[in-house]
Amino acid sequence: MAERKPLISGNWKMHHNHFEAIQAVQKLSYVLSSHDLEAVDVSVHPPFTDLRSVQTVIESDEIAIALGAQNCHWENNGAYTGEVAPAMLAKLNVSMVIVGHSERRELFGETDEDVNRKVKAVLAADMTPILCCGETLDEREAGGAAARVEGQIRSGLAGVKAGQVSGLVVAYEPIWAIGTGKTATPEDAQEMCGMVRSTVRSKWGDEAADKVRIQYGGSVKPVTAPDLMRQPDIDGALVGGASLDPDEFARIIAYRLVS
Ligand code: 13P
């Protein structure tokens, strides 16, 4: 069984201008211990306008935090007003890109096909996709959560090779838990993350299933992180609101210290 290093990612959504972003990353680097950063991979995903500034801080201060983006287009150039290309992100040393977040799907009409194109484009630019999946409350109450999420994984990763699936990240984020303060119970989150891993196993094989990292996302807080992170199929967290405050985010990253 492969050792999977935990990955805790901060999705800042549409928060923090570039000055605030610089301060947040610097503060995070002061409050995190080198021990934290050895035990856990950490990424931050600021808005596009902050990326160059955050890149400069991370590189000049040699901070061991990965730079991430929240979205991208699937083409590398063209007449796509308002879009940002994977190659442009890679040029800023962005190494991880969130793809198919439920807010992009629900508010901006991203389809499973769009998400699949983006996953492939991110991989082609030598970056790591964080593929988001998750069901609505209606789908959960109707007993359709597993089918919905399995469908998102199969279509989001269609045509992606097993060797590439091994290196990527899936974030299970139940939509009813995002920004609501309602974290899924560790048992419910484990059940769904376990199902994601089984889906990967049946389609892409044992190696991909044992290596792919699966995050839970949805109202993760310092107090809920330890029990979530103890689950066998949860390898990390995708954190929204609580990642905006460096102290709070650092306490989530230090989840191992809470018994
Ligand atoms: P919250 O942690 O604010 O619920 O957001 C979760 C999320 O959507 C991360 O991508």
Side-chain angles (χ1 to χ4, degrees):
M1 172 80 85
E3 263 301 302
R4 295 184 297 269
K5 189 171 180 191
L7 170 65
I8 300 200
S9 304
N11 174 10
W12 292 356
K13 308 192 179 182
M14 199 169 72
H15 298 284
H16 285 343
N17 62 39
H18 71 287
F19 291 118
E20 294 161 337
I22 290 169
Q23 283 177 347
V25 169
Q26 281 177 330
K27 176 134 195 231
L28 191 59
S29 76
Y30 300 144
V31 290
L32 284 176
S33 69
S34 57
H35 195 67
D36 289 330
L37 290 170
E38 274 160 33
V40 179
D41 285 338
V42 177
S43 65
V44 291
H45 300 252
F48 288 134
T49 51
D50 302 356
L51 287 173
R52 177 65 175 151
S53 308
V54 175
Q55 178 208 9
T56 306
V57 174
I58 284 178
E59 290 178 5
S60 59
D61 294 358
E62 297 183 12
I63 302 172
I65 292 177
L67 182 59
Q70 302 173 16
N71 180 34
C72 65
H73 197 265
W74 56 81
E75 295 290 348
N76 270 328
N77 47 56
Y80 301 102
T81 302
E83 293 292 328
V84 172
M88 295 169 181
L89 298 176
K91 200 76 182 164
L92 291 169
N93 290 347
V94 165
S95 59
M96 297 187 175
V97 185
I98 297 170
V99 176
H101 191 280
S102 62
E103 287 152 16
R104 304 268 350 140
R105 295 178 192 256
E106 290 207 317
L107 304 174
F108 302 99
E110 276 188 19
T111 64
D112 283 340
E113 291 70 36
D114 296 338
V115 172
N116 180 239
R117 287 190 194 109
K118 292 183 181 196
V119 165
K120 289 174 174 162
V122 169
L123 288 166
D126 288 328
M127 299 182 290
T128 302
I130 299 181
L131 168 63
C132 297
C133 57
E135 79 286 358
T136 62
L137 188 56
D138 284 351
E139 286 163 344
R140 170 155 284 262
E141 285 175 348
R148 174 83 179 113
V149 169
E150 181 176 345
Q152 287 172 328
I153 299 298
R154 287 186 183 274
S155 53
L157 298 179
V160 178
K161 294 189 177 67
Q164 293 177 306
V165 174
S166 300
L168 56 75
V169 181
V170 173
Y172 166 64
E173 300 204 299
I175 294 170
W176 47 271
I178 296 178
T180 58
K182 285 188 205 153
T183 320
T185 63
E187 294 72 28
D188 283 346
Q190 162 58 29
E191 189 184 345
M192 293 298 286
C193 292
M195 190 279 299
V196 168
R197 198 175 307 283
S198 306
T199 303
V200 170
R201 195 175 304 282
S202 69
K203 173 93 174 121
W204 289 274
D206 284 339
E207 189 173 344
D210 290 339
K211 287 192 174 160
V212 66
R213 290 192 285 185
I214 303 175
Q215 297 177 313
Y216 166 80
S219 296
V220 176
K221 301 279 182 274
V223 10
T224 54
D227 280 345
L228 288 161
M229 294 297 296
R230 252 192 286 279
Q231 304 303 314
D233 288 304
I234 299 182
D235 308 312
L238 183 53
V239 186
S243 72
L244 294 172
D245 174 356
D247 285 316
E248 205 176 3
F249 191 40
R251 281 196 286 139
I252 292 175
I253 293 163
Y255 69 91
R256 302 171 327 285
L257 308 176
V258 182
S259 58

